[in-house]
Amino acid sequence: MTLTPVEPLPEHEVRVRAPGKINLSLRVGAREADGYHPLTTVFQAVSVFEEVVATPSDERTLTVSGAQADLVPTDSSNLALQAVEALARRTGVDEGVHLHLDKGVPVAGGMAGGSADAAAALVACDALWHTGLSRPELLEIAAEVGADVSFILMGHTAVGQGRGHLLTPALTRGEFYWAFAVQDRGLSTSACYQAFDELHGGEPGAPDPELDVPLMQALRAGDARALGAALHNDLQLASLELDPHLAEPLAVAEDSGALGVIVSGSGPTVAALARSRQHALALAAAFTASGVADRVLTASAPVAGARVLSSD
């Protein structure tokens, strides 16, 4: 009998889970001289997750599995590797690491899948390398890597300003249930902002947090119906301009009794707020039956940010 050699176990492994996000409200100001748009947004972390496993390595490398894994870059353009480099610079670490990303959040879907990978990589390497940074220190590094990375590290619900990285936790009561119509085709965030500028002639109004008072009140009260009525996305028309077929899942969700429906971030994922967990499953079934989504997901919210699941 021939025995198959057994691969040696890694001497140390850290597994981290990080959530995707939706923007319950996204208000966009005029493009500034640096090319960025000032934002006022309300993030909510949802139970659609990325998992990142970090193991020791001579180099800093990355592999990917899960849905749409073939669309994810594995070179230095990947946000997770950029997060690792940022952590190493801050702490003076010169060790390598191998990251394995298991994708659950749609790629280029407006739900911050890449940012979730980056947040998870920060937490994983902080544990693997024993750098011992505080959560505020990790948040500073996260903000350097990407505007959404800080929120994914924090999780739950928060108001984001500036480029979305200046965060204030938001008081939320209860649990909300969502169904997502996911498209395999992605939408470029930069193209969406360019379309936004063209639609508004480059002169939209500045963000005004006061405009979202009803939404914040709905969150504090745990009132899903009021939250659905207050959902808002300044980029939605731009997303529809780039991908007119998104009108179809929006219409299906409305016809199926969603409390509110919105394009998530820059799209193309469409998020529908349900009355209950069972209603979220019904909305997902409607998306599937009507053929308006390549995949459907359901989730609850809010959930915690990037956290270590295991460290061996």
Side-chain angles (χ1 to χ4, degrees):
M1 181 175 66
T2 302
L3 296 176
T4 303
V6 177
E7 290 292 325
L9 291 173
E11 66 179 74
H12 191 43
E13 172 185 289
V14 179
R15 182 180 298 269
V16 174
R17 186 172 72 175
K21 62 82 183 170
I22 54 176
N23 298 81
L24 303 176
S25 173
L26 178 56
R27 297 193 179 272
V28 181
R31 185 172 59 185
E32 297 179 332
D34 61 3
Y36 288 98
H37 295 73
L39 306 176
T40 295
T41 187
V42 182
F43 293 112
Q44 187 160 81
V46 299
S47 61
V48 179
F49 297 104
E50 305 280 274
E51 285 196 7
V52 173
V53 178
T55 52
S57 174
D58 293 334
E59 300 179 292
R60 293 172 186 164
T61 57
L62 182 147
T63 53
V64 189
S65 62
Q68 301 175 291
D70 58 312
L71 301 179
V72 180
T74 57
D75 59 13
S76 60
S77 66
N78 189 289
L79 278 184
L81 286 177
Q82 292 178 25
V84 169
E85 295 297 333
L87 177 65
R89 286 194 302 272
R90 175 69 68 93
T91 59
V93 169
D94 60 4
E95 297 177 34
V97 65
H98 176 74
L99 300 177
H100 181 76
L101 317 181
D102 188 23
K103 301 293 293 180
V105 180
V107 176
M111 294 184 69
S115 295
D117 294 332
L122 279 176
V123 172
C125 288
D126 178 59
L128 185 73
W129 293 339
H130 304 288
T131 51
L133 296 184
S134 66
R135 187 56 57 136
E137 288 172 319
L138 286 175
L139 283 168
E140 285 182 14
I141 300 172
E144 296 173 9
V145 178
D148 290 340
V149 181
S150 298
F151 172 70
I152 301 300
L153 198 60
M154 176 183 287
H156 301 287
T157 308
V159 176
Q161 294 181 295
R163 296 199 299 271
H165 66 295
L166 303 174
L167 297 171
T168 305
L171 178 63
T172 306
R173 180 173 297 171
E175 193 169 26
F176 301 97
Y177 302 97
W178 296 89
F180 302 108
V182 179
Q183 311 299 337
D184 287 341
R185 61 188 186 275
L187 268 182
S188 162
T189 299
S190 60
C192 193
Y193 275 100
Q194 183 176 345
F196 172 83
D197 289 337
E198 292 170 357
L199 285 169
H200 292 270
E203 294 297 336
D208 183 0
E210 294 299 319
L211 295 173
D212 296 312
V213 167
L215 186 140
M216 302 304 294
Q217 291 174 334
L219 289 171
R220 285 195 295 270
D223 187 336
R225 190 169 298 277
L227 177 62
L231 298 176
H232 179 84
N233 183 359
D234 276 348
L235 294 181
Q236 184 158 308
L237 285 179
S239 298
L240 285 165
E241 184 81 9
L242 294 172
D243 190 346
H245 291 295
L246 292 181
E248 297 169 1
L250 288 168
V252 168
E254 290 174 355
D255 292 344
S256 301
L259 298 179
V261 58
I262 195 170
V263 173
S264 179
S266 58
T269 301
V270 168
L273 181 61
R275 296 187 299 271
S276 63
R277 193 182 302 274
Q278 292 73 23
H279 186 217
L281 293 172
L283 289 171
F287 285 143
T288 300
S290 59
V292 297
D294 295 313
R295 289 183 294 131
V296 296
L297 300 169
T298 60
S300 59
V303 297
R307 293 294 184 273
V308 174
L309 293 180
S310 62
S311 180
D312 300 326

